[in-house]
Amino acid sequence: MSGFNDYMLPCLNKKLFGVECMGCGLQRSASLVVQGEFTDAFYMYPAIYTLILLLIVIVFNTFRKFKYSNKIITILVILNIVIIVTNFVSKLI
């Protein structure tokens, strides 16, 4: 899987300002999930699994509407925002 890692985009925020952005680690975390390194993926980017769940719900809802889908999506979006911001702040401290 090292070939996949050769095509990852660098973080422009980190290159310009020397500070990681809120998305830093997402690509590497997704790569780790694909490789089966689930624990490492979580430590790399804690929101990876809630983001995957959100993506699954949105795709499923696109093709087949289900009851309370808007509430579920809203809750998952809020949960992801909380996890991402918390992770970002913890990296700054």
Side-chain angles (χ1 to χ4, degrees):
M1 276 304 213
S2 63
F4 178 73
N5 294 335
D6 295 338
Y7 297 103
M8 288 191 187
L9 300 172
C11 178
L12 188 60
N13 193 56
K14 191 171 183 177
K15 281 192 178 252
L16 293 176
F17 305 113
V19 180
E20 291 187 355
C21 69
M22 290 190 196
C24 276
L26 180 60
Q27 289 180 95
R28 290 173 286 163
S29 182
S31 174
L32 289 168
V33 168
V34 170
Q35 295 174 28
E37 301 288 335
F38 302 113
T39 305
D40 292 339
F42 176 78
Y43 286 118
M44 180 66 62
Y45 196 76
I48 186 69
Y49 296 114
T50 52
L51 284 170
I52 291 171
L53 180 59
L54 176 62
L55 181 65
I56 290 169
V57 170
I58 290 172
V59 168
F60 184 77
N61 187 51
T62 300
F63 296 106
R64 183 172 173 100
K65 304 292 183 203
F66 58 95
K67 194 174 184 179
Y68 304 117
S69 62
N70 289 339
K71 279 188 177 183
I72 293 169
I73 291 170
T74 302
I75 290 169
L76 285 172
V77 166
I78 292 169
L79 177 62
N80 277 300
I81 290 170
V82 168
I83 293 170
I84 291 168
V85 170
T86 302
N87 183 47
F88 178 71
V89 171
S90 71
K91 286 181 182 179
L92 292 177
I93 296 177

